[in-house]
Amino acid sequence: SVRLPGDKSISHRYAMLAAVAEGPSRIDNFATGADCQSTLDCLGALGVAIRREDALVHIEGKGLDGLRQPAAQLDAGNSGSTIRMLSGILAAQPFSSAITGDASLARRPMRRIIEPLTKMGARIEARDGQFPPLRITGSSLKAIDYELPVPSAQVKTAVLLAGLFAEGETVVREPVRTRDHTEIALKEFGASVGVSQRVIRLSSRPRLQGRDLHVPADLSSAAFFLVAALLVPGSEVVIPGVGLNPTRSTLLDLLAAMGADLKILDVREQAGEVMGDVLVRSSAVRGGVIEGPASAAV
């Protein structure tokens, strides 16, 4: 039996929403990697009280209007998820802030978030117009109807998080379906979200409430153990509590189609996310074909 850390994509989103919700949130099985710690560090610098006990994180939500101006530049480390998604929240604040990261992150383009957030009313300065550090002057935002030029769950999330604060209904249109952890989490915290045929609609200024949440085990991390178990004769591996969100579980469908001896046990739902225990045994698998667009960013 292999117990894996919590899903990184979900952990980022739970932490950010807990920070702008009202009251305490308790997030169990929070991802243990450095990227999600960068998110917690940035939220702490914005005045959010955070206490971590290994994989259990306690966050005292400040509400939509409770964040404070950071005393120094925010550091997202190597986390593109942190800088892109948190920029949606920073764009709506009544103060200026700056956010950067390590040398690798400083080479990643941010134009895809700068464009929609600027349309909503934020002022964002970037090195060469697109690279970190980002200097964000927040303001009273207005909602937009935005069609993503390319599939990106991070850009979608940045717009939706800004839309929490914006005047009017924020609409995001996706060319193809991307992972929907943000929409699920928004509903769990109390936001009014409608999803229909790759169109997401979010009502402004909901009263978000702190929650007790459990993060499913990370399916991306599980992939290595699943494939190893298939290849090594005599193997039988169980991975409990794996996230089975349909926007993320294509790997399991592919392995099953290749003849993998794979079963999903005890399927359940927690806070809108589907999870289950994955059992895999060594198998003689056949070749398969992967088709369609690449999976969108986290």
Side-chain angles (χ1 to χ4, degrees):
S1 179
V2 180
R3 292 192 176 274
L4 297 175
D7 185 282
K8 184 172 72 170
S9 297
I10 297 173
S11 296
H12 281 299
R13 288 157 171 84
Y14 281 177
M16 291 182 194
L17 287 172
V20 295
E22 298 178 15
S25 289
R26 180 180 179 275
I27 306 173
D28 185 35
N29 202 39
F30 193 84
T32 55
D35 282 4
C36 290
Q37 184 60 49
S38 292
T39 288
L40 295 181
D41 292 343
C42 287
L43 294 173
L46 291 164
V48 181
I50 297 171
R51 179 166 55 91
R52 183 164 192 171
E53 303 166 0
D54 296 323
L56 177 62
V57 174
H58 301 267
I59 297 177
E60 290 292 332
K62 305 290 287 186
L64 291 180
D65 301 312
L67 300 182
R68 72 180 185 210
Q69 186 171 16
Q73 187 170 246
L74 299 172
D75 184 2
N78 189 241
S79 177
S81 296
T82 301
I83 193 170
R84 291 192 180 101
M85 296 193 293
L86 187 58
S87 291
I89 293 176
L90 296 174
Q93 302 307 309
F95 52 73
S96 296
S97 57
I99 183 167
T100 189
D102 64 13
S104 173
L105 188 64
R107 294 192 296 270
R108 296 189 219 173
M110 299 290 153
R111 188 170 291 156
R112 282 190 285 175
I113 62 161
I114 293 172
E115 178 184 292
L117 295 177
T118 299
K119 288 182 177 180
M120 298 178 80
R123 190 166 77 247
I124 303 176
E125 299 174 24
R127 180 172 54 84
D128 296 331
Q130 63 172 329
F131 297 108
L134 304 182
R135 294 176 177 82
I136 303 173
T137 302
S139 64
S140 297
L141 302 183
K142 61 180 184 297
I144 57 172
D145 188 322
Y146 188 68
E147 184 168 352
L148 294 173
V150 296
S152 172
Q154 291 181 353
V155 176
K156 172 178 67 174
T157 299
V159 176
L160 291 174
L161 291 177
L164 290 171
F165 305 84
E167 180 182 345
E169 182 183 65
T170 296
V171 180
V172 179
R173 303 177 188 272
E174 298 188 282
V176 299
R177 189 184 185 195
T178 65
R179 56 189 66 183
D180 61 355
H181 302 306
T182 301
E183 297 94 304
I184 292 171
L186 282 166
K187 290 178 182 177
E188 288 301 314
F189 278 93
S192 177
V193 183
V195 182
S196 176
Q197 298 182 336
R198 302 193 306 277
V199 178
I200 304 101
R201 299 179 182 275
L202 172 68
S203 298
S204 66
R205 297 200 64 83
R207 187 172 182 181
L208 304 179
Q209 297 292 330
R211 295 288 316 277
D212 285 353
L213 299 161
H214 176 83
V215 180
D218 183 22
L219 179 57
S220 298
S221 298
F224 302 97
F225 295 95
L226 295 175
V227 173
L230 289 172
L231 295 176
V232 178
S235 296
E236 179 177 291
V237 174
V238 176
I239 307 177
V242 176
L244 300 175
N245 185 300
T247 64
R248 300 281 301 282
S249 58
T250 305
L251 169 69
L252 300 179
D253 298 333
L254 177 64
L255 292 178
M258 294 172 69
D261 185 353
L262 187 151
K263 294 181 174 62
I264 309 297
L265 311 173
D266 190 21
V267 177
R268 62 264 193 199
E269 183 178 301
Q270 289 189 11
E273 291 284 356
V274 179
M275 66 183 73
D277 303 338
V278 180
L279 167 66
V280 61
R281 298 184 179 93
S282 56
S283 313
V285 295
R286 55 184 177 271
V289 178
I290 302 174
E291 297 179 336
S295 176
V298 297

